[in-house]
């Protein structure tokens, strides 16, 4: 994915999160459903931000940013700590 594609994906994930919160407030989904999907969205956002960081780092070091690849969520989560 190119930077613009990743940023568009991030925008979509954030828009979905806002939509979930509105659906919860209106009662069209349960808090359990909302919590489960929010967790999935947060993990997807973590991976997307990580991919952008990888691409930036590769670009800064003269490497091909397209060689960056999404990492498993467990690896991304451990990396953040």
């Amino acid at each position: 994915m190119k930077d613009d594609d990743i940023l568009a994906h991030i925008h979509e994930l954030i828009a979905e999160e806002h939509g979930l919160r509105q659906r919860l407030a209106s009662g069209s989904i349960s808090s359990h459903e909302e919590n489960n999907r929010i967790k999935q969205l947060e993990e997807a956002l973590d991976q997307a931000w990580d991919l952008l960081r990888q691409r930036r780092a590769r670009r800064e070091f003269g490497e091909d940013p397209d060689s960056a690849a999404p990492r498993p969520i467990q690896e991304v989560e451990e990396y953040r700590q």
Side-chain angles (χ1 to χ4, degrees):
M1 293 178 92
K2 302 288 186 198
D3 291 1
D4 289 343
D5 296 330
I6 297 167
L7 290 169
H9 182 61
I10 287 170
H11 177 74
E12 290 167 0
L13 293 169
I14 291 170
E16 183 178 348
E17 180 182 355
H18 289 287
L20 281 170
R21 304 235 186 250
Q22 291 172 349
R23 289 176 59 201
L24 177 65
S26 72
S28 64
I29 61 171
S30 70
S31 61
H32 179 72
E33 292 170 315
E34 188 249 5
N35 285 334
N36 286 339
R37 186 59 187 142
I38 290 290
K39 181 173 176 20
Q40 293 170 346
L41 289 171
E42 288 173 350
E43 290 173 346
L45 281 167
D46 288 344
Q47 287 177 305
W49 287 120
D50 178 67
L51 186 55
L52 276 178
R53 285 190 296 270
Q54 284 183 60
R55 290 180 57 81
R56 183 181 341 124
R58 288 174 192 267
R59 194 176 294 113
E60 288 175 3
F61 289 99
E63 299 174 14
D64 179 14
D66 292 335
S67 64
R71 296 191 286 185
I73 191 60
Q74 296 83 5
E75 187 176 335
V76 172
E77 290 296 317
E78 289 173 17
Y79 174 75
R80 288 183 4 180
Q81 293 176 1

